[in-house]
Amino acid sequence: MGSELNRKALGAAVINAKIAPYWRVSVVDVTESTQNDLKDLLSSHRAHIGDVIAAEYQSAGRGRLDRTFSAPSHSALLFSFLITPFSRAKDSWGWIPLLASAAIVETLRSIDSSAEVTIKWPNDILFGEKKVAGLLCETIDGEVIVGVGINISMAEKELPVSHATSLFLEGFNNLDRDFLLIEILNNFSRRFEEWDAGSDEVAATYRKFSSTLGRQVRIELPQGTLIEGIATGISAEGELVLGDGAHVSVGDVVHLR
Ligand code: BTN
C-alpha cells in the first residue's frame, strides 16, 4: 500500500479549535527549522509560552548533538513549542524532554495499546531498536524550546538512515497528523503542569516506557569518551544513573543487551 494517501496537510484551524487553551499552533509550509523560528521570535520578544510552530518541510532541521534531522514534505510531524516551568528549580529541567517523550509514547500507546514503542534515554522514541522520533530541548535564559520530529508516513526508501522507522512502517496506517499533534501537546501540557506543581509521577511513567533502564548500555559522551554499565535509574535532574553510580547528563546510548 502506498503511503501518499496519508500526506494531507496539517490544518491549523482544526488543531487550534480542538487543542487545550495552553497552546497556540501555527503551521508553515516550508522553513529552515521550527526550532530556529521559535528562537528568533523569542529573541525579538515575539514568542509566548504555549506557542507552537509546526512545519510541513524543514530545509535545515536540527537534531541532538549538532546532527541534522530531515524528512520529505508532509511525511513527518515536525514542531517546536515554547514553555517555562514556574515552580521547578532549573536543576530539574532535565526532566522536560523526558516528560515530552513520555507524552509521545503515551499518545501512541493510547492509539494502539499493542504498540511496542519505548523510550531510549534521554528521548529517542523506538520500535525495537529503530528510531521513529527524536526530541531536541534547548534552554534559553528562563525559557525552554522543545522540538519534536516524528516520522509518520515515510516508506522504507524515504528513511534518512537504516536504523530509522516510521509510524506507517510500524502499522499505524492513515494516521491523522492533526489528531496526533493535538493529543501529544495535550498529554504533554497536562503532565508538564502536574510536574511543575510538584508531582513526580512522571518518574514511574518514564520507567514503564523506558527500554534503557535495566539494560547494559554503552554511552558515547560528547567528548567521544565511551563508558559502559547497567542503566539503573534516572536522577532528580533527569540524568541516567549507571550501576557504578555514574550520572550521565548528555550522551548517545547504545543498548547492548
Ligand atoms: C534528534 O533526534 O536528534 C532530535 C530531532 C529533533 C527534530 C525536530 S523537528 C522540529 C524541530 N526543528 C528542528 O530543527 N529540530 C526539531
Side-chain angles (χ1 to χ4, degrees), residues 65-120:
L65 307 170
D66 289 331
R67 298 191 181 116
T68 58
F69 190 90
S70 64
S73 186
H74 296 78
S75 71
L77 193 50
L78 312 168
F79 61 101
S80 297
F81 58 86
L82 181 69
I83 52 160
T84 193
F86 290 113
S87 308
R88 286 276 181 171
K90 221 169 185 170
D91 60 8
S92 66
W93 289 12
W95 273 96
I96 292 172
L98 311 189
L99 280 156
S101 48
I104 294 171
V105 169
E106 173 185 20
T107 303
L108 293 174
R109 289 192 186 189
S110 73
I111 295 170
D112 177 357
S113 58
S114 68
E116 291 180 6
V117 56
T118 63
I119 307 167
K120 182 175 80 166

Side-chain angles (χ1 to χ4, degrees), residues 10-252:
L10 287 165
V14 174
I15 294 166
N16 283 303
K18 293 186 178 164
I19 206 158
Y22 190 95
W23 303 109
R24 286 159 312 280
V25 179
S26 329
V27 177
V28 296
D29 202 35
V30 180
T31 187
E32 281 187 3
S33 155
T34 57
Q35 200 75 3
N36 295 350
D37 292 343
L38 212 39
K39 244 185 190 173
D40 291 346
L41 288 175
L42 188 59
S43 64
S44 57
H45 309 287
R46 287 179 296 142
H48 304 95
I49 300 307
D51 283 354
V52 182
I53 304 179
E56 297 293 13
Y57 179 73
Q58 296 183 129
S59 56
R62 296 193 288 115
R64 279 176 71 232
L65 307 170
D66 289 331
R67 298 191 181 116
T68 58
F69 190 90
S70 64
S73 186
H74 296 78
S75 71
L77 193 50
L78 312 168
F79 61 101
S80 297
F81 58 86
L82 181 69
I83 52 160
T84 193
F86 290 113
S87 308
R88 286 276 181 171
K90 221 169 185 170
D91 60 8
S92 66
W93 289 12
W95 273 96
I96 292 172
L98 311 189
L99 280 156
S101 48
I104 294 171
V105 169
E106 173 185 20
T107 303
L108 293 174
R109 289 192 186 189
S110 73
I111 295 170
D112 177 357
S113 58
S114 68
E116 291 180 6
V117 56
T118 63
I119 307 167
K120 182 175 80 166
W121 183 89
N123 40 235
D124 281 352
I125 311 298
L126 305 183
F127 281 84
E129 289 303 313
K130 292 198 164 188
K131 177 168 165 175
V132 76
L135 279 84
L136 175 65
C137 193
E138 297 176 300
T139 300
I140 298 154
D141 300 326
E143 272 134 335
V144 181
I145 300 177
V146 181
V148 178
I150 308 175
N151 298 338
I152 306 283
S153 62
M154 288 133 133
E156 196 94 42
K157 62 178 188 314
E158 295 175 299
L159 296 171
V161 288
S162 60
H163 59 271
T165 187
S166 70
L167 290 175
F168 168 72
L169 292 169
E170 299 301 330
F172 286 77
N173 293 320
N174 289 315
L175 253 189
D176 179 342
R177 290 183 304 147
D178 292 347
F179 171 76
L180 194 60
L181 181 61
I182 292 166
E183 291 296 300
I184 290 172
L185 286 170
N186 285 351
N187 282 329
F188 173 79
S189 55
R190 176 181 42 78
R191 287 188 175 281
F192 174 70
E193 289 183 316
E194 286 168 6
W195 170 81
D196 198 23
S199 165
D200 285 319
E201 194 202 304
V202 66
T205 307
Y206 187 87
R207 176 168 278 278
K208 186 173 80 182
F209 292 162
S210 171
S211 49
T212 300
L213 295 175
R215 298 274 285 271
Q216 180 78 17
V217 295
R218 181 187 309 125
I219 308 174
E220 184 174 351
L221 302 178
Q223 316 84 324
T225 311
L226 294 176
I227 58 171
E228 270 191 39
I230 296 180
T232 54
I234 308 291
S235 73
E237 291 77 30
E239 303 152 321
L240 186 64
V241 180
L242 301 184
D244 64 1
H247 284 214
V248 179
S249 59
V250 186
D252 239 352

